[in-house]
Amino acid sequence: MITHLNNFRDITKLTNFLKFFLYASLVLNFFALLSDYLEYSALINAQNSAYASAESLHKAVELNSSRQAYVGILQMITALLTSILFLRWIYFSNANAHALKANGMQFTPLWSIVWYFVPIAHLWKPYQAMNEIWKCSENPHQWKSIKTDSILHWWWSLWILSFLADHLLIRYALDAHDIQTSIHFAIANSISDFMHIPLSAVAILLITRISSMQMSQQVRQAGGYTMISL
């Protein structure tokens, strides 16, 4: 076993910090959905010539563009910070699973996060790594006989759906040159924002449970480890 994995790390603070950003992302996406609806309504009104004058149409377009830009910037910043924290959390939760002497693990801390960036393989490898972390955290000595918890199925299914929704959004963003295609983009944007809400909620449950299981296992095996607080 790799020697630097011998120390168990208390990831409680890291977990709570990540949960804060996941909650922030969840709330922000609720506001984004409202903003998406307002943009959609404005586009439908423009398509139906519902505005009294070209000036009122211009003001509506500017208002929606500014609001969507602000919301989008906040979403990008929150998503970036959340992603960084999540990858850091995965690294140390995997390292903890090794420290708990879960024999036969296939994924190292580094590869448990590298797989997120490998084309094609990122569609299943990160799930396998997280599934391994969960099982080893639940019972490090008999983890191979543990059935996969349903929360992992929900988490990964929502991750895939969110991934597809984001790609759909990018496609329509590149083609949004008139009102009709802009309406399609607004709908795709709504789908993308909506999908990230349950994904954030399930991710919160996932990291909370794994962190709790690891701390419980560490208490049982405390005599053989040095705990480091992150």
Side-chain angles (χ1 to χ4, degrees):
M1 182 179 290
I2 303 172
T3 56
H4 76 275
L5 298 179
N6 291 335
N7 292 327
F8 184 93
R9 292 164 172 82
D10 184 352
I11 60 172
T12 302
K13 290 183 180 179
L14 177 59
T15 301
N16 290 335
F17 201 35
L18 175 55
K19 284 167 63 176
F20 171 82
F21 278 92
L22 285 169
Y23 276 118
S25 177
L26 193 153
V27 172
L28 185 57
N29 279 299
F30 269 115
F31 282 105
L33 273 177
L34 175 59
S35 183
D36 294 338
Y37 172 75
L38 293 174
E39 181 183 41
Y40 175 80
S41 297
L43 289 169
I44 291 296
N45 288 334
Q47 185 180 50
N48 296 332
S49 302
Y51 290 100
S53 64
E55 182 181 356
S56 60
L57 173 60
H58 181 70
K59 288 182 178 179
V61 170
E62 284 192 340
L63 177 62
N64 276 284
S65 297
S66 298
R67 186 188 63 252
Q68 287 291 79
Y70 287 130
V71 172
I73 291 172
L74 287 174
Q75 284 180 298
M76 288 179 60
I77 294 173
T78 303
L80 177 61
L81 293 174
T82 303
S83 298
I84 293 172
L85 285 170
F86 192 63
L87 292 175
R88 179 176 171 81
W89 182 90
I90 290 173
Y91 182 93
F92 286 111
S93 62
N94 180 283
N96 278 350
H98 282 274
L100 291 170
K101 295 184 177 179
N103 295 323
M105 289 183 66
Q106 296 180 359
F107 297 92
T108 63
L110 179 60
W111 276 101
S112 65
I113 60 178
V114 168
W115 283 119
Y116 282 88
F117 304 97
V118 179
I120 308 301
H122 71 284
L123 294 175
W124 75 88
K125 283 293 186 179
Y127 165 78
Q128 291 178 342
M130 186 67 77
N131 188 30
E132 189 175 75
I133 291 171
W134 177 289
K135 291 182 177 182
C136 293
S137 300
E138 184 176 348
N139 189 336
H141 303 304
Q142 298 179 334
W143 67 272
K144 292 183 179 180
S145 62
I146 297 175
K147 292 183 179 180
T148 300
D149 195 280
S150 61
I151 192 173
L152 285 153
H153 297 315
W154 280 105
W155 168 69
W156 196 244
S157 296
L158 289 168
W159 192 93
I160 292 294
L161 290 173
S162 297
F163 175 80
L164 294 175
D166 290 342
H167 276 259
L168 179 67
L169 177 63
I170 294 172
R171 174 188 171 186
Y172 281 116
L174 296 174
D175 295 334
H177 303 305
D178 53 39
I179 292 179
Q180 188 60 49
T181 54
S182 294
I183 290 174
H184 293 160
F185 171 73
I187 294 173
N189 201 17
S190 299
I191 294 173
S192 176
D193 290 333
F194 174 78
M195 289 308 308
H196 283 85
I197 293 174
L199 176 59
S200 295
V202 172
I204 290 170
L205 296 176
L206 178 72
I207 66 172
T208 300
R209 181 61 180 145
I210 289 177
S211 177
S212 176
M213 289 191 296
Q214 289 193 347
M215 292 305 297
S216 296
Q217 289 295 336
Q218 194 280 331
V219 169
R220 296 189 184 99
Q221 303 179 22
Y225 299 98
T226 300
M227 183 184 292
I228 300 174
S229 181
L230 293 177

